[in-house]
Structure formats: C-alpha cells, structure tokens
Amino acid sequence: MEKNLAGGSISRPKWRKVAYGGMQIGYDDNYTDESFLEEMVMNANVVRRDLLKVMKDSVSISQYLCIVAFVVLVWVHTLESSLDENSLLLLDLSLLASGFLILLLTEEKMLSLSLLLRYLVNISFFTTGLYILAPIYQTLTRSISSDSIWAVTVSLLLLHLFLHDYSGSTIRAPGALNTPNLTSCISVNASIVASVFVASRLPSRLHVFAVMLFSLQVFLFAPLVAYCIKKFSFGLHLVFSFALMGLTLYSIYALHRLFFLVFLLLVLLVNVVCPYWLIKMQEYKFEINGPWDEAKLCFDITD
C-alpha cells in the first residue's frame, strides 16, 4: 500500500513472476516476493549410479582395448617374422567366417540370403582392390625413417582409442537409422592410416595384403560384431569380453612381462578404479534449479 498527496492510500497491483514482461509498476526490477523460492529444487537432474552397473558398462571399453592390443600383437609378431603370411591369411579367413556366423546368429535382419550374397560380393571386390594396392602400400613410406613411422603409428592408435565410439559401432547394422558421428569416423581413419604405416615395413606383397586385410577386418567389423553380441545377450557379452581379456593378457605376458603389468593395471583402472571414482564424485554433485533458470520451450518450434 502507498499514500497519495491527499493522504489516501493507493493499492498497487500484485507482483507477478514474468519472464519478458518488463518492469512492473510499484516494484523494483530485482524484486521477488516470498513465493520466489518455493519452486527451488535441489539435485533434480542428478543420476544416482550403481557401482556394479557402472563396472558392467565399463567392460565395453576394456573389451575394445583388448581388441586393439590383439591387433598390435599380430603386428609385432609379423614384423619379427614369427608369424608368416600363410598363417595370417588363415587368421583372416577364420575371423571373416566367425564374424559372419556371429552376425547371422545375433542379427535377425541379416538372415536374408540376398543381403548375405551382396555382402559377399562387396567383400570380394574389397579384397581384390586391397591385393592390387598392396605393392603401393609396401613402398609408401620407404623414404621415411622407422622411428618416425612408429611414433606416428602410436599417436594414431592413441587418437583412435580416444575418439572411438564405445557405445556402438561405426559400421551400422542393416536397418539402423542413425549415422556415425564425425569423431568415430576420424577414429576409424586414424586406425586405417596406422595399419598402412605398419604394412609399409613388411617384406613382401602377400605380407602387406594379409596384415591390411586383418587390420581392416578388426577395426571396421569387430565393433559391429561386439555390438550385436551385446544387443543379443548381455551375459554373452560379458563372457566374450572376459574371454578376450584373458587371451590378450596371456599373449602379452608371453611377449613381455612389463607390458603385461602395464596392460593389467590399465584394465583394472578402467573396470574398477574409474567406476569407483565416478560413484564417489556423485556425493559432491550439487545442483540447484528454480524459477530463475533459463526458460525451456515446451513445444516444437518447427510446427
């Protein structure tokens, strides 16, 4: 209530909470009444996570770390001539057959015979082109020192791991509506370039073809196979992941004890330490929402 010049009282209009209504007569621009804090909500959007669930979700990351480590192991044994080209070609055929078998068993949309034949034709064209280009890959980095090649290869693999899409696959299953994002495409390209650099240090054309075919099979199709297994059965996904971890750790242990210890600590960090840190950090999350927050549209502006 306010008084006029004659001593009477003037009732001012009731204050209203408006977003874009300008100043209200009789009130300061920063005025709020006692109802302003009634809509305050604390930690409305904070997601309470379970430690076991976070640890299960982190298995996908350590699984792909093992896949990349397995590729590096094959590269090392090939460069040391402990794995010949015939063994590599046999490994390529085994991976291709097992990958198609898993996709046929886990992805119902791939049961079409015409779709399978189309994939086989595409793979035949792909392998033929790769075999024709093998001599070019072999001589591509002849003028570059080996130290530079290994440094760039390691950097590209780290970039590949950093940008990889661990929640899905760059190669989409048939019928998938969403397309791969930019970072996952950069990740795949980095892995392919790293494979070319390694292949350029091999002694024969058949070695180059076998290593490039193996690397492309793993980097392109292994995420799709792992994604289909996870979508088909989460229990089967855990069994496959732990079996892959055991095989990779055993192979690294046979190669070098120090690398085995480093990789084991990395797996424990990803699967145990990081989930525990994430759960503990949730205790310090503090979020306040109220009427002062930015207005959110409740309708589609394209309508």
Side-chain angles (χ1 to χ4, degrees), residues 11-44:
S11 60
R12 58 180 179 177
K14 184 180 180 181
W15 179 80
R16 296 180 298 109
K17 183 181 66 177
V18 293
Y20 305 102
M23 291 187 61
Q24 301 183 44
I25 300 176
Y27 299 97
D28 296 331
D29 186 44
N30 60 348
Y31 175 83
T32 59
D33 66 356
E34 62 278 1
S35 66
F36 185 71
L37 296 179
E38 290 179 356
E39 299 180 18
M40 184 182 70
V41 180
M42 299 176 60
N43 296 335

PDB file of all heavy atoms in Angstrom, residues 11-44:
ATOM      1  N   SER A  11      -3.626   1.231  -3.729  1.00  0.00           N
ATOM      2  CA  SER A  11      -3.243  -0.187  -3.779  1.00  0.00           C
ATOM      3  C   SER A  11      -2.516  -0.459  -5.092  1.00  0.00           C
ATOM      4  O   SER A  11      -3.035  -0.156  -6.169  1.00  0.00           O
ATOM      5  CB  SER A  11      -4.482  -1.077  -3.668  1.00  0.00           C
ATOM      6  OG  SER A  11      -5.369  -0.823  -4.731  1.00  0.00           O
ATOM      7  N   ARG A  12      -1.297  -0.950  -4.997  1.00  0.00           N
ATOM      8  CA  ARG A  12      -0.542  -1.255  -6.209  1.00  0.00           C
ATOM      9  C   ARG A  12      -0.877  -2.666  -6.686  1.00  0.00           C
ATOM     10  O   ARG A  12      -1.286  -3.514  -5.892  1.00  0.00           O
ATOM     11  CB  ARG A  12       0.954  -1.128  -5.961  1.00  0.00           C
ATOM     12  CG  ARG A  12       1.486  -2.017  -4.838  1.00  0.00           C
ATOM     13  CD  ARG A  12       2.978  -1.807  -4.674  1.00  0.00           C
ATOM     14  NE  ARG A  12       3.514  -2.630  -3.586  1.00  0.00           N
ATOM     15  CZ  ARG A  12       4.806  -2.682  -3.274  1.00  0.00           C
ATOM     16  NH1 ARG A  12       5.668  -1.931  -3.945  1.00  0.00           N
ATOM     17  NH2 ARG A  12       5.225  -3.445  -2.282  1.00  0.00           N
ATOM     18  N   PRO A  13      -0.711  -2.931  -7.967  1.00  0.00           N
ATOM     19  CA  PRO A  13      -1.069  -4.256  -8.494  1.00  0.00           C
ATOM     20  C   PRO A  13      -0.184  -5.342  -7.896  1.00  0.00           C
ATOM     21  O   PRO A  13       0.947  -5.090  -7.459  1.00  0.00           O
ATOM     22  CB  PRO A  13      -0.836  -4.096 -10.000  1.00  0.00           C
ATOM     23  CG  PRO A  13       0.145  -2.976 -10.130  1.00  0.00           C
ATOM     24  CD  PRO A  13      -0.196  -2.024  -9.015  1.00  0.00           C
ATOM     25  N   LYS A  14      -0.723  -6.543  -7.863  1.00  0.00           N
ATOM     26  CA  LYS A  14       0.017  -7.667  -7.305  1.00  0.00           C
ATOM     27  C   LYS A  14       1.192  -8.019  -8.208  1.00  0.00           C
ATOM     28  O   LYS A  14       1.088  -8.028  -9.435  1.00  0.00           O
ATOM     29  CB  LYS A  14      -0.914  -8.882  -7.149  1.00  0.00           C
ATOM     30  CG  LYS A  14      -0.247 -10.077  -6.491  1.00  0.00           C
ATOM     31  CD  LYS A  14      -1.218 -11.237  -6.356  1.00  0.00           C
ATOM     32  CE  LYS A  14      -0.531 -12.429  -5.705  1.00  0.00           C
ATOM     33  NZ  LYS A  14      -1.454 -13.582  -5.571  1.00  0.00           N
ATOM     34  N   TRP A  15       2.328  -8.330  -7.562  1.00  0.00           N
ATOM     35  CA  TRP A  15       3.533  -8.688  -8.329  1.00  0.00           C
ATOM     36  C   TRP A  15       3.357 -10.053  -8.975  1.00  0.00           C
ATOM     37  O   TRP A  15       2.829 -10.976  -8.369  1.00  0.00           O
ATOM     38  CB  TRP A  15       4.741  -8.706  -7.390  1.00  0.00           C
ATOM     39  CG  TRP A  15       6.021  -9.086  -8.078  1.00  0.00           C
ATOM     40  CD1 TRP A  15       6.825  -8.304  -8.830  1.00  0.00           C
ATOM     41  CD2 TRP A  15       6.641 -10.386  -8.068  1.00  0.00           C
ATOM     42  NE1 TRP A  15       7.891  -8.994  -9.296  1.00  0.00           N
ATOM     43  CE2 TRP A  15       7.814 -10.292  -8.848  1.00  0.00           C
ATOM     44  CE3 TRP A  15       6.297 -11.608  -7.480  1.00  0.00           C
ATOM     45  CZ2 TRP A  15       8.662 -11.372  -9.040  1.00  0.00           C
ATOM     46  CZ3 TRP A  15       7.141 -12.690  -7.678  1.00  0.00           C
ATOM     47  CH2 TRP A  15       8.308 -12.574  -8.449  1.00  0.00           C
ATOM     48  N   ARG A  16       3.748 -10.135 -10.239  1.00  0.00           N
ATOM     49  CA  ARG A  16       3.650 -11.384 -10.967  1.00  0.00           C
ATOM     50  C   ARG A  16       5.033 -11.786 -11.472  1.00  0.00           C
ATOM     51  O   ARG A  16       5.842 -10.935 -11.842  1.00  0.00           O
ATOM     52  CB  ARG A  16       2.700 -11.231 -12.174  1.00  0.00           C
ATOM     53  CG  ARG A  16       1.267 -10.927 -11.793  1.00  0.00           C
ATOM     54  CD  ARG A  16       0.372 -10.790 -13.024  1.00  0.00           C
ATOM     55  NE  ARG A  16       0.776  -9.682 -13.887  1.00  0.00           N
ATOM     56  CZ  ARG A  16       1.334  -9.825 -15.081  1.00  0.00           C
ATOM     57  NH1 ARG A  16       1.541 -11.035 -15.583  1.00  0.00           N
ATOM     58  NH2 ARG A  16       1.676  -8.775 -15.801  1.00  0.00           N
ATOM     59  N   LYS A  17       5.256 -13.062 -11.481  1.00  0.00           N
ATOM     60  CA  LYS A  17       6.533 -13.574 -11.986  1.00  0.00           C
ATOM     61  C   LYS A  17       6.413 -13.748 -13.496  1.00  0.00           C
ATOM     62  O   LYS A  17       5.727 -14.633 -13.998  1.00  0.00           O
ATOM     63  CB  LYS A  17       6.870 -14.915 -11.329  1.00  0.00           C
ATOM     64  CG  LYS A  17       8.223 -15.479 -11.760  1.00  0.00           C
ATOM     65  CD  LYS A  17       8.487 -16.809 -11.089  1.00  0.00           C
ATOM     66  CE  LYS A  17       7.505 -17.852 -11.584  1.00  0.00           C
ATOM     67  NZ  LYS A  17       7.773 -19.178 -11.009  1.00  0.00           N
ATOM     68  N   VAL A  18       7.052 -12.862 -14.244  1.00  0.00           N
ATOM     69  CA  VAL A  18       7.014 -12.908 -15.700  1.00  0.00           C
ATOM     70  C   VAL A  18       8.441 -12.925 -16.221  1.00  0.00           C
ATOM     71  O   VAL A  18       9.360 -12.377 -15.600  1.00  0.00           O
ATOM     72  CB  VAL A  18       6.238 -11.709 -16.283  1.00  0.00           C
ATOM     73  CG1 VAL A  18       4.769 -11.787 -15.921  1.00  0.00           C
ATOM     74  CG2 VAL A  18       6.834 -10.392 -15.811  1.00  0.00           C
ATOM     75  N   ALA A  19       8.624 -13.554 -17.381  1.00  0.00           N
ATOM     76  CA  ALA A  19       9.963 -13.667 -17.953  1.00  0.00           C
ATOM     77  C   ALA A  19      10.323 -12.443 -18.785  1.00  0.00           C
ATOM     78  O   ALA A  19      11.418 -11.888 -18.667  1.00  0.00           O
ATOM     79  CB  ALA A  19      10.069 -14.941 -18.796  1.00  0.00           C
ATOM     80  N   TYR A  20       9.386 -12.002 -19.644  1.00  0.00           N
ATOM     81  CA  TYR A  20       9.688 -10.902 -20.544  1.00  0.00           C
ATOM     82  C   TYR A  20       8.573  -9.848 -20.497  1.00  0.00           C
ATOM     83  O   TYR A  20       8.100  -9.385 -21.513  1.00  0.00           O
ATOM     84  CB  TYR A  20       9.867 -11.405 -21.975  1.00  0.00           C
ATOM     85  CG  TYR A  20      10.907 -12.479 -22.097  1.00  0.00           C
ATOM     86  CD1 TYR A  20      10.542 -13.819 -22.221  1.00  0.00           C
ATOM     87  CD2 TYR A  20      12.264 -12.158 -22.073  1.00  0.00           C
ATOM     88  CE1 TYR A  20      11.495 -14.808 -22.315  1.00  0.00           C
ATOM     89  CE2 TYR A  20      13.225 -13.144 -22.174  1.00  0.00           C
ATOM     90  CZ  TYR A  20      12.837 -14.460 -22.298  1.00  0.00           C
ATOM     91  OH  TYR A  20      13.781 -15.439 -22.391  1.00  0.00           O
ATOM     92  N   GLY A  21       8.174  -9.480 -19.294  1.00  0.00           N
ATOM     93  CA  GLY A  21       7.074  -8.528 -19.182  1.00  0.00           C
ATOM     94  C   GLY A  21       7.516  -7.111 -18.880  1.00  0.00           C
ATOM     95  O   GLY A  21       6.681  -6.224 -18.704  1.00  0.00           O
ATOM     96  N   GLY A  22       8.821  -6.875 -18.778  1.00  0.00           N
ATOM     97  CA  GLY A  22       9.303  -5.548 -18.431  1.00  0.00           C
ATOM     98  C   GLY A  22       9.125  -5.261 -16.946  1.00  0.00           C
ATOM     99  O   GLY A  22       8.730  -6.126 -16.158  1.00  0.00           O
ATOM    100  N   MET A  23       9.412  -4.028 -16.550  1.00  0.00           N
ATOM    101  CA  MET A  23       9.261  -3.641 -15.146  1.00  0.00           C
ATOM    102  C   MET A  23       7.770  -3.517 -14.798  1.00  0.00           C
ATOM    103  O   MET A  23       6.969  -3.067 -15.598  1.00  0.00           O
ATOM    104  CB  MET A  23       9.970  -2.317 -14.887  1.00  0.00           C
ATOM    105  CG  MET A  23      11.487  -2.403 -14.962  1.00  0.00           C
ATOM    106  SD  MET A  23      12.266  -0.858 -14.459  1.00  0.00           S
ATOM    107  CE  MET A  23      11.684  -0.721 -12.781  1.00  0.00           C
ATOM    108  N   GLN A  24       7.439  -3.918 -13.568  1.00  0.00           N
ATOM    109  CA  GLN A  24       6.070  -3.809 -13.089  1.00  0.00           C
ATOM    110  C   GLN A  24       5.951  -2.571 -12.197  1.00  0.00           C
ATOM    111  O   GLN A  24       6.839  -2.295 -11.371  1.00  0.00           O
ATOM    112  CB  GLN A  24       5.675  -5.072 -12.301  1.00  0.00           C
ATOM    113  CG  GLN A  24       5.794  -6.343 -13.137  1.00  0.00           C
ATOM    114  CD  GLN A  24       5.347  -7.581 -12.382  1.00  0.00           C
ATOM    115  OE1 GLN A  24       4.319  -7.561 -11.700  1.00  0.00           O
ATOM    116  NE2 GLN A  24       6.119  -8.653 -12.498  1.00  0.00           N
ATOM    117  N   ILE A  25       4.876  -1.835 -12.371  1.00  0.00           N
ATOM    118  CA  ILE A  25       4.682  -0.565 -11.661  1.00  0.00           C
ATOM    119  C   ILE A  25       4.635  -0.805 -10.162  1.00  0.00           C
ATOM    120  O   ILE A  25       3.898  -1.665  -9.672  1.00  0.00           O
ATOM    121  CB  ILE A  25       3.381   0.122 -12.130  1.00  0.00           C
ATOM    122  CG1 ILE A  25       3.454   0.396 -13.640  1.00  0.00           C
ATOM    123  CG2 ILE A  25       3.149   1.405 -11.356  1.00  0.00           C
ATOM    124  CD1 ILE A  25       2.177   0.976 -14.200  1.00  0.00           C
ATOM    125  N   GLY A  26       5.438  -0.032  -9.432  1.00  0.00           N
ATOM    126  CA  GLY A  26       5.466  -0.142  -7.983  1.00  0.00           C
ATOM    127  C   GLY A  26       6.481  -1.118  -7.437  1.00  0.00           C
ATOM    128  O   GLY A  26       6.600  -1.266  -6.215  1.00  0.00           O
ATOM    129  N   TYR A  27       7.237  -1.806  -8.303  1.00  0.00           N
ATOM    130  CA  TYR A  27       8.219  -2.780  -7.854  1.00  0.00           C
ATOM    131  C   TYR A  27       9.560  -2.505  -8.526  1.00  0.00           C
ATOM    132  O   TYR A  27       9.612  -2.076  -9.693  1.00  0.00           O
ATOM    133  CB  TYR A  27       7.764  -4.207  -8.183  1.00  0.00           C
ATOM    134  CG  TYR A  27       6.467  -4.613  -7.522  1.00  0.00           C
ATOM    135  CD1 TYR A  27       5.255  -4.532  -8.205  1.00  0.00           C
ATOM    136  CD2 TYR A  27       6.465  -5.075  -6.205  1.00  0.00           C
ATOM    137  CE1 TYR A  27       4.066  -4.891  -7.600  1.00  0.00           C
ATOM    138  CE2 TYR A  27       5.282  -5.450  -5.587  1.00  0.00           C
ATOM    139  CZ  TYR A  27       4.089  -5.357  -6.292  1.00  0.00           C
ATOM    140  OH  TYR A  27       2.919  -5.719  -5.684  1.00  0.00           O
ATOM    141  N   ASP A  28      10.619  -2.778  -7.808  1.00  0.00           N
ATOM    142  CA  ASP A  28      11.946  -2.671  -8.386  1.00  0.00           C
ATOM    143  C   ASP A  28      12.159  -3.791  -9.400  1.00  0.00           C
ATOM    144  O   ASP A  28      11.475  -4.809  -9.400  1.00  0.00           O
ATOM    145  CB  ASP A  28      13.022  -2.760  -7.301  1.00  0.00           C
ATOM    146  CG  ASP A  28      12.930  -1.578  -6.337  1.00  0.00           C
ATOM    147  OD1 ASP A  28      12.479  -0.493  -6.785  1.00  0.00           O
ATOM    148  OD2 ASP A  28      13.308  -1.750  -5.160  1.00  0.00           O
ATOM    149  N   ASP A  29      13.165  -3.589 -10.241  1.00  0.00           N
ATOM    150  CA  ASP A  29      13.422  -4.562 -11.289  1.00  0.00           C
ATOM    151  C   ASP A  29      13.877  -5.904 -10.714  1.00  0.00           C
ATOM    152  O   ASP A  29      13.631  -6.966 -11.311  1.00  0.00           O
ATOM    153  CB  ASP A  29      14.485  -4.023 -12.255  1.00  0.00           C
ATOM    154  CG  ASP A  29      14.685  -4.922 -13.448  1.00  0.00           C
ATOM    155  OD1 ASP A  29      13.686  -5.388 -14.015  1.00  0.00           O
ATOM    156  OD2 ASP A  29      15.852  -5.187 -13.803  1.00  0.00           O
ATOM    157  N   ASN A  30      14.553  -5.882  -9.575  1.00  0.00           N
ATOM    158  CA  ASN A  30      15.055  -7.125  -8.972  1.00  0.00           C
ATOM    159  C   ASN A  30      14.191  -7.591  -7.795  1.00  0.00           C
ATOM    160  O   ASN A  30      14.652  -8.348  -6.949  1.00  0.00           O
ATOM    161  CB  ASN A  30      16.494  -6.932  -8.494  1.00  0.00           C
ATOM    162  CG  ASN A  30      16.608  -5.820  -7.459  1.00  0.00           C
ATOM    163  OD1 ASN A  30      15.661  -5.051  -7.263  1.00  0.00           O
ATOM    164  ND2 ASN A  30      17.750  -5.740  -6.805  1.00  0.00           N
ATOM    165  N   TYR A  31      12.946  -7.178  -7.758  1.00  0.00           N
ATOM    166  CA  TYR A  31      12.064  -7.528  -6.647  1.00  0.00           C
ATOM    167  C   TYR A  31      11.596  -8.978  -6.773  1.00  0.00           C
ATOM    168  O   TYR A  31      11.277  -9.465  -7.860  1.00  0.00           O
ATOM    169  CB  TYR A  31      10.852  -6.595  -6.618  1.00  0.00           C
ATOM    170  CG  TYR A  31       9.825  -6.969  -5.564  1.00  0.00           C
ATOM    171  CD1 TYR A  31       9.987  -6.560  -4.246  1.00  0.00           C
ATOM    172  CD2 TYR A  31       8.708  -7.738  -5.901  1.00  0.00           C
ATOM    173  CE1 TYR A  31       9.052  -6.908  -3.279  1.00  0.00           C
ATOM    174  CE2 TYR A  31       7.770  -8.088  -4.948  1.00  0.00           C
ATOM    175  CZ  TYR A  31       7.945  -7.663  -3.638  1.00  0.00           C
ATOM    176  OH  TYR A  31       7.030  -8.021  -2.684  1.00  0.00           O
ATOM    177  N   THR A  32      11.541  -9.675  -5.682  1.00  0.00           N
ATOM    178  CA  THR A  32      10.946 -11.019  -5.592  1.00  0.00           C
ATOM    179  C   THR A  32      10.154 -11.096  -4.299  1.00  0.00           C
ATOM    180  O   THR A  32      10.552 -10.530  -3.276  1.00  0.00           O
ATOM    181  CB  THR A  32      12.020 -12.119  -5.596  1.00  0.00           C
ATOM    182  OG1 THR A  32      12.916 -11.929  -4.498  1.00  0.00           O
ATOM    183  CG2 THR A  32      12.807 -12.129  -6.903  1.00  0.00           C
ATOM    184  N   ASP A  33       9.044 -11.817  -4.330  1.00  0.00           N
ATOM    185  CA  ASP A  33       8.254 -11.964  -3.109  1.00  0.00           C
ATOM    186  C   ASP A  33       8.620 -13.271  -2.402  1.00  0.00           C
ATOM    187  O   ASP A  33       9.545 -13.977  -2.802  1.00  0.00           O
ATOM    188  CB  ASP A  33       6.762 -11.897  -3.431  1.00  0.00           C
ATOM    189  CG  ASP A  33       6.310 -13.080  -4.275  1.00  0.00           C
ATOM    190  OD1 ASP A  33       7.167 -13.898  -4.657  1.00  0.00           O
ATOM    191  OD2 ASP A  33       5.099 -13.176  -4.552  1.00  0.00           O
ATOM    192  N   GLU A  34       7.876 -13.580  -1.363  1.00  0.00           N
ATOM    193  CA  GLU A  34       8.209 -14.752  -0.546  1.00  0.00           C
ATOM    194  C   GLU A  34       7.971 -16.074  -1.274  1.00  0.00           C
ATOM    195  O   GLU A  34       8.457 -17.134  -0.845  1.00  0.00           O
ATOM    196  CB  GLU A  34       7.398 -14.747   0.747  1.00  0.00           C
ATOM    197  CG  GLU A  34       5.882 -14.839   0.568  1.00  0.00           C
ATOM    198  CD  GLU A  34       5.254 -13.492   0.253  1.00  0.00           C
ATOM    199  OE1 GLU A  34       6.033 -12.496   0.166  1.00  0.00           O
ATOM    200  OE2 GLU A  34       4.034 -13.430   0.090  1.00  0.00           O
ATOM    201  N   SER A  35       7.259 -16.063  -2.392  1.00  0.00           N
ATOM    202  CA  SER A  35       6.982 -17.309  -3.122  1.00  0.00           C
ATOM    203  C   SER A  35       8.077 -17.652  -4.138  1.00  0.00           C
ATOM    204  O   SER A  35       7.986 -18.674  -4.824  1.00  0.00           O
ATOM    205  CB  SER A  35       5.633 -17.193  -3.852  1.00  0.00           C
ATOM    206  OG  SER A  35       5.708 -16.200  -4.867  1.00  0.00           O
ATOM    207  N   PHE A  36       9.104 -16.803  -4.222  1.00  0.00           N
ATOM    208  CA  PHE A  36      10.108 -16.994  -5.274  1.00  0.00           C
ATOM    209  C   PHE A  36      10.893 -18.295  -5.082  1.00  0.00           C
ATOM    210  O   PHE A  36      11.236 -18.985  -6.034  1.00  0.00           O
ATOM    211  CB  PHE A  36      11.063 -15.799  -5.283  1.00  0.00           C
ATOM    212  CG  PHE A  36      12.065 -15.837  -6.402  1.00  0.00           C
ATOM    213  CD1 PHE A  36      11.676 -15.618  -7.716  1.00  0.00           C
ATOM    214  CD2 PHE A  36      13.402 -16.103  -6.147  1.00  0.00           C
ATOM    215  CE1 PHE A  36      12.589 -15.661  -8.742  1.00  0.00           C
ATOM    216  CE2 PHE A  36      14.325 -16.135  -7.175  1.00  0.00           C
ATOM    217  CZ  PHE A  36      13.918 -15.905  -8.472  1.00  0.00           C
ATOM    218  N   LEU A  37      11.179 -18.650  -3.819  1.00  0.00           N
ATOM    219  CA  LEU A  37      11.980 -19.843  -3.542  1.00  0.00           C
ATOM    220  C   LEU A  37      11.149 -21.099  -3.340  1.00  0.00           C
ATOM    221  O   LEU A  37      11.706 -22.165  -3.045  1.00  0.00           O
ATOM    222  CB  LEU A  37      12.854 -19.607  -2.304  1.00  0.00           C
ATOM    223  CG  LEU A  37      13.914 -18.507  -2.425  1.00  0.00           C
ATOM    224  CD1 LEU A  37      14.686 -18.376  -1.129  1.00  0.00           C
ATOM    225  CD2 LEU A  37      14.868 -18.804  -3.576  1.00  0.00           C
ATOM    226  N   GLU A  38       9.833 -20.990  -3.497  1.00  0.00           N
ATOM    227  CA  GLU A  38       9.008 -22.174  -3.288  1.00  0.00           C
ATOM    228  C   GLU A  38       9.251 -23.240  -4.352  1.00  0.00           C
ATOM    229  O   GLU A  38       9.069 -24.428  -4.106  1.00  0.00           O
ATOM    230  CB  GLU A  38       7.531 -21.777  -3.290  1.00  0.00           C
ATOM    231  CG  GLU A  38       7.115 -20.965  -2.064  1.00  0.00           C
ATOM    232  CD  GLU A  38       5.654 -20.580  -2.117  1.00  0.00           C
ATOM    233  OE1 GLU A  38       5.010 -20.883  -3.161  1.00  0.00           O
ATOM    234  OE2 GLU A  38       5.148 -19.990  -1.141  1.00  0.00           O
ATOM    235  N   GLU A  39       9.673 -22.822  -5.553  1.00  0.00           N
ATOM    236  CA  GLU A  39       9.894 -23.759  -6.642  1.00  0.00           C
ATOM    237  C   GLU A  39      11.350 -24.224  -6.725  1.00  0.00           C
ATOM    238  O   GLU A  39      11.736 -24.880  -7.699  1.00  0.00           O
ATOM    239  CB  GLU A  39       9.484 -23.131  -7.973  1.00  0.00           C
ATOM    240  CG  GLU A  39       8.016 -22.737  -8.031  1.00  0.00           C
ATOM    241  CD  GLU A  39       7.661 -22.109  -9.363  1.00  0.00           C
ATOM    242  OE1 GLU A  39       8.436 -22.292 -10.322  1.00  0.00           O
ATOM    243  OE2 GLU A  39       6.618 -21.423  -9.442  1.00  0.00           O
ATOM    244  N   MET A  40      12.150 -23.897  -5.743  1.00  0.00           N
ATOM    245  CA  MET A  40      13.542 -24.319  -5.779  1.00  0.00           C
ATOM    246  C   MET A  40      13.651 -25.835  -5.572  1.00  0.00           C
ATOM    247  O   MET A  40      13.037 -26.391  -4.667  1.00  0.00           O
ATOM    248  CB  MET A  40      14.342 -23.594  -4.692  1.00  0.00           C
ATOM    249  CG  MET A  40      15.835 -23.910  -4.744  1.00  0.00           C
ATOM    250  SD  MET A  40      16.764 -23.089  -3.434  1.00  0.00           S
ATOM    251  CE  MET A  40      16.194 -24.006  -2.005  1.00  0.00           C
ATOM    252  N   VAL A  41      14.420 -26.492  -6.432  1.00  0.00           N
ATOM    253  CA  VAL A  41      14.617 -27.943  -6.371  1.00  0.00           C
ATOM    254  C   VAL A  41      16.115 -28.204  -6.373  1.00  0.00           C
ATOM    255  O   VAL A  41      16.863 -27.627  -7.169  1.00  0.00           O
ATOM    256  CB  VAL A  41      13.958 -28.659  -7.566  1.00  0.00           C
ATOM    257  CG1 VAL A  41      14.189 -30.156  -7.475  1.00  0.00           C
ATOM    258  CG2 VAL A  41      12.481 -28.337  -7.623  1.00  0.00           C
ATOM    259  N   MET A  42      16.553 -29.070  -5.481  1.00  0.00           N
ATOM    260  CA  MET A  42      17.970 -29.393  -5.374  1.00  0.00           C
ATOM    261  C   MET A  42      18.223 -30.789  -5.964  1.00  0.00           C
ATOM    262  O   MET A  42      17.490 -31.727  -5.672  1.00  0.00           O
ATOM    263  CB  MET A  42      18.433 -29.349  -3.913  1.00  0.00           C
ATOM    264  CG  MET A  42      18.277 -27.976  -3.274  1.00  0.00           C
ATOM    265  SD  MET A  42      18.708 -27.961  -1.518  1.00  0.00           S
ATOM    266  CE  MET A  42      20.414 -28.498  -1.616  1.00  0.00           C
ATOM    267  N   ASN A  43      19.259 -30.868  -6.815  1.00  0.00           N
ATOM    268  CA  ASN A  43      19.695 -32.134  -7.423  1.00  0.00           C
ATOM    269  C   ASN A  43      18.566 -32.842  -8.165  1.00  0.00           C
ATOM    270  O   ASN A  43      18.362 -34.053  -8.046  1.00  0.00           O
ATOM    271  CB  ASN A  43      20.282 -33.071  -6.358  1.00  0.00           C
ATOM    272  CG  ASN A  43      21.546 -32.515  -5.723  1.00  0.00           C
ATOM    273  OD1 ASN A  43      22.247 -31.707  -6.328  1.00  0.00           O
ATOM    274  ND2 ASN A  43      21.837 -32.950  -4.514  1.00  0.00           N
ATOM    275  N   ALA A  44      17.829 -32.051  -8.960  1.00  0.00           N
ATOM    276  CA  ALA A  44      16.701 -32.640  -9.689  1.00  0.00           C
ATOM    277  C   ALA A  44      17.165 -33.533 -10.831  1.00  0.00           C
ATOM    278  O   ALA A  44      16.506 -34.532 -11.155  1.00  0.00           O
ATOM    279  CB  ALA A  44      15.808 -31.527 -10.239  1.00  0.00           C
TER     280      ALA A  44
END
